[in-house]
Amino acid sequence: MIQQLNFFLHLQSNTLLVKKFNGYLFAFFFYTIPLVSQVSFLESASSLGMNISYGDSDLGGGVSFIDFNNDGWDDITFATEDTEEICFLENNDGLLTRVYFTGISNTLKTKQIIWVDYDNDGDKDLFVTALNGSNRFYKNNGAMVFTDISNTIGFFTDNKHTTGASFGDIDNDGDLDAFICNRDDDNESERNYLYQNNNGIYTDISEEAGILLTSEISFCAVFFDYNNDGLQDIYVSNDKPTYPNRLYKNNGDTTFEDTSESSGAGISINAMTTTIGDYNHDGWFDIYVTNTPDGNQLLRNNGDGTFTDKARDSGTEFDSVGWGAVFLDADNDAELDLYVSGEFDGTNSSLLPSAFYHNQGDDTFQIPNDIGFEEDTRKSYSNAIGDIDNDGKPDIVVSNDAETNFLFNNKSTNSNNWIKIQLEGTIGNKDGIGNRIEVFAGGKSQFRYTLCGEGYLSQNSSNKFIGLGAATTIDYIKITWNHSGVVEIIEQVGVNQSITIQENNGILGSDAFSIEKINVFPIPSRDGVFHIKSNTLFESTKIAVYTIAGKFLFSKKNEGSLDISSYGKGIYLIKIITNNQIFTKKLLYL
């Protein structure tokens, strides 16, 4: 920026040059500052092969947007109603195909669908909860062939009207423990359960751990580290104001202290979701909880063991009947946005059917108009994010009741950069669950936490999506591996790529081509013609041209040059798409 400012001052000192530019100084100055991002989504369920709804859900069914077959593409799994098989949608290069797996047959009224490598053998196993009928656990024997081990794994096997389930490593021993929520208004014995994983067999440790042994009509729970002490705590969402939400602080010896009241997180509302994210970049993870029209709550983590509700101040109160919610950086501007599903159809103007909240970068959010959610008016519950087309932009899948589920494909167009990070444990759990990620780029830090089961009956992609704004290089990525306490720092990482970071081994590989090897010149151009040279470009390379506001102009195959002279002088964006990767650059035509 200093070099750019010096150049700007040099222009001012040259009268003749100033006259020659005649008004384009403002455009050049605008070119040096971050661009306003345009958020855009396209509902693409039918066109991508996702024609399914839950049916009669009884307060919603779950969804997973995780790569269940380890082929590098995020797949989708839906819970289904009575008599219907679980819906597995395999992602094949951006198109979804329903598949069936040997060893899995389940026609119960299912709720949570969660993929987890409970035995650390490198493939995803499956746990499915049910509202009417017993929960089922399916072990992946390899090649997506499964064995039902529900009766031997250690979980309860009777029908307890189970809703949510989540996994985390409470004792940092390298395998994943479990928390199971049961919800029955009339049966106090249907309490929640905390299970410890002992070499693939689960043991109920609820009583000795300090978990409440009576029913509180719980929907779901999440494992996360709210006080940054390297231990996974547990937050539980309870449905009725009679039962405040529970925050269990991990003492480090497989026991927990109930800090619900002292922390301020024990709110008494009709709570549904447990959504975790650091929306204000302070390194402390916040909680978003949906509610009835009394208003959702955004519990800002104060960093001293307490939380303060900032929903009203931030503009995220919703004031309708909300269910699933998820944090995501939709436009990769380095600010976490928020999407909330609701159960109304929009006919009542005072009750939102859903909401996309765009983060303004000052701890407040706004609902933008005309970005693709205009028809988001179905009875919706669970939602999750993943990357359906591997373009680095988070997409949203939503589970609806009687009408077809939504798949909102992220079509945001801007020059912002991004990175996707997946963790793989070697000493800790293979899924990399329960670890802290810090990405420092463009002068700011962003924080993510790896979870297995979150939101409302949902599971997000194993990839952590981090928007980088205008930053062209990541100064460092810092991973705090909670199992060992090791802090791993990787410096000078390229943008616009998906990476896997393996515990103690750094980046395993990258699917991105090197930005440094792409040369676009001259910038600025005096005649509107630019030349593009790189050894990494292929004949199939596509070049797309946009206005500075993100309006698409034209695209062409790579021919070594690009002529935009017919569109007039100004600032333009180009996207170079090659080998399934995207490189974005600004062009200046003066």
Side-chain angles (χ1 to χ4, degrees), residues 96-121:
L96 297 168
T97 303
R98 186 162 186 174
V99 295
Y100 300 85
F101 297 125
T102 301
I104 298 180
S105 179
N106 191 320
T107 57
L108 300 171
K109 180 177 279 191
T110 49
K111 301 297 282 185
Q112 180 99 43
I113 302 287
I114 190 162
W115 295 92
V116 54
D117 186 1
Y118 85 103
D119 52 3
N120 284 328
D121 64 353

Side-chain angles (χ1 to χ4, degrees), residues 336-356:
L336 277 180
D337 309 306
L338 178 67
Y339 173 78
V340 182
S341 292
E343 72 170 54
F344 290 114
D345 62 5
T347 54
N348 186 331
S349 60
S350 65
L351 296 172
L352 290 171
S354 65
F356 176 86

Side-chain angles (χ1 to χ4, degrees), residues 27 144 194 229 575:
M144 303 303 287
L194 174 62
D229 65 352
K575 284 186 179 290

Side-chain angles (χ1 to χ4, degrees), residues 256-316:
F256 290 79
E257 176 187 354
D258 187 341
T259 58
S260 309
E261 185 175 353
S262 61
S263 68
I267 55 178
S268 297
I269 62 174
N270 293 285
M272 287 78 156
T273 189
T274 52
T275 299
I276 305 298
D278 178 19
Y279 77 95
N280 57 353
H281 300 278
D282 65 356
W284 300 89
F285 292 104
D286 313 298
I287 311 171
Y288 188 77
V289 186
T290 51
N291 188 20
T292 61
D294 291 333
N296 299 349
Q297 295 205 16
L298 175 57
L299 300 178
R300 185 192 66 191
N301 191 330
N302 299 317
D304 59 1
T306 68
F307 293 81
T308 301
D309 177 24
K310 290 294 182 178
R312 294 287 170 192
D313 293 343
S314 65
T316 58

Side-chain angles (χ1 to χ4, degrees), residues 139-310:
K139 175 181 169 58
N140 191 338
N141 302 316
M144 303 303 287
V145 174
F146 295 83
T147 299
D148 187 340
I149 59 170
S150 308
N151 294 326
T152 59
I153 196 170
F155 292 156
F156 61 81
T157 56
D158 53 328
N159 175 20
K160 291 188 181 296
H161 300 91
T162 304
T163 48
S166 53
F167 290 82
D169 188 357
I170 62 169
D171 47 11
N172 284 337
D173 66 349
D175 51 24
L176 290 170
D177 312 299
F179 196 94
I180 300 176
C181 294
N182 297 300
R183 182 187 180 282
D184 190 328
D185 296 6
D186 302 319
N187 191 342
E188 286 196 358
S189 68
E190 297 198 1
R191 60 177 175 86
N192 300 328
Y193 287 76
L194 174 62
Y195 286 96
Q196 186 177 32
N197 187 339
N198 298 294
N199 298 316
I201 300 297
Y202 284 88
T203 303
D204 177 13
I205 62 167
S206 306
E207 183 172 4
E208 53 266 43
I211 305 301
L212 192 69
L213 298 180
T214 56
S215 172
E216 289 197 303
I217 318 180
S218 301
F219 269 128
C220 45
V222 65
F223 291 89
F224 82 114
D225 184 1
Y226 84 91
N227 55 358
N228 288 344
D229 65 352
L231 300 169
Q232 287 205 282
D233 313 297
I234 303 171
Y235 189 66
V236 185
S237 175
N238 293 326
D239 184 24
K240 303 296 182 183
T242 310
Y243 306 107
N245 286 5
R246 295 285 171 185
L247 179 62
Y248 293 107
K249 176 186 172 183
N250 192 331
N251 296 321
D253 57 0
T254 68
T255 68
F256 290 79
E257 176 187 354
D258 187 341
T259 58
S260 309
E261 185 175 353
S262 61
S263 68
I267 55 178
S268 297
I269 62 174
N270 293 285
M272 287 78 156
T273 189
T274 52
T275 299
I276 305 298
D278 178 19
Y279 77 95
N280 57 353
H281 300 278
D282 65 356
W284 300 89
F285 292 104
D286 313 298
I287 311 171
Y288 188 77
V289 186
T290 51
N291 188 20
T292 61
D294 291 333
N296 299 349
Q297 295 205 16
L298 175 57
L299 300 178
R300 185 192 66 191
N301 191 330
N302 299 317
D304 59 1
T306 68
F307 293 81
T308 301
D309 177 24
K310 290 294 182 178

Side-chain angles (χ1 to χ4, degrees), residues 225 227-228 278 282-285 423 432-438 447-450 478-482 488:
D225 184 1
N227 55 358
N228 288 344
D278 178 19
D282 65 356
W284 300 89
F285 292 104
L423 301 186
I433 302 302
N435 299 302
R436 176 186 174 93
I437 301 171
E438 178 186 356
F447 300 88
R448 302 290 190 270
Y449 195 81
T450 50
K478 181 191 292 186
I479 310 297
T480 303
W481 299 97
N482 283 344
E488 192 168 357

